[in-house]
Amino acid sequence: QVQLVESGGGLVQPGGSLGLSCAASGFIFRLYSMRWYRQAPGKQRELVAAISSGGNTNYADSVKGRFTISRDNVKNTVYLQMNSLKPEDTAVYYCYAIRGPAGNWGQGTQVTVSS
């Protein structure tokens, strides 16, 4: 079955960096587009970054220039490198795999940016 397991969340000070990983299994990873979403308390889940099966990337305006999404099709893992973190980046970050009309979610990992 499809499994997406995020890791790498934690507490970081403003201006700091954090790297998230999402290990995938149960499907042909290289054929899927992968996305990172986040959800802050009291807010809707929002798309942060996406990478296509071909490696094309796009980002939310709020994270452009600070976050980088990448993938390793050998390790079946997608990454999100987050730099220059701000308190407003605090949220639960979710990995999402999609091919066609339906996708699959990971369980999420908490990122807290606070001094």
Side-chain angles (χ1 to χ4, degrees):
Q1 80 233 32
V2 173
Q3 269 200 315
L4 298 166
V5 180
E6 299 98 333
S7 61
L11 174 64
V12 62
Q13 291 189 341
S17 298
L18 209 57
L20 305 183
S21 300
C22 172
S25 61
F27 61 101
I28 305 175
F29 178 77
R30 60 180 173 82
L31 297 182
Y32 279 65
S33 294
M34 300 298 297
R35 302 174 184 171
W36 285 97
Y37 286 79
R38 67 185 180 189
Q39 188 166 20
K43 294 189 176 181
Q44 288 193 333
R45 195 169 295 191
E46 63 172 351
L47 177 64
V48 175
I51 185 166
S52 70
S53 57
N56 295 317
T57 59
N58 58 72
Y59 299 90
D61 287 343
S62 58
V63 307
K64 276 181 185 175
R66 300 188 298 122
F67 289 13
T68 302
I69 188 171
S70 61
R71 66 189 296 160
D72 185 330
N73 289 341
V74 174
K75 294 182 178 179
N76 289 353
T77 301
V78 62
Y79 305 95
L80 186 68
Q81 179 63 37
M82 305 183 292
N83 299 326
S84 303
L85 282 161
K86 306 174 181 179
E88 51 263 43
D89 295 319
T90 295
V92 178
Y93 283 71
Y94 297 92
C95 178
Y96 183 72
I98 185 165
R99 186 183 184 213
N104 294 275
W105 293 96
Q107 83 288 352
T109 186
Q110 176 70 46
V111 172
T112 302
V113 184
S114 174
S115 54

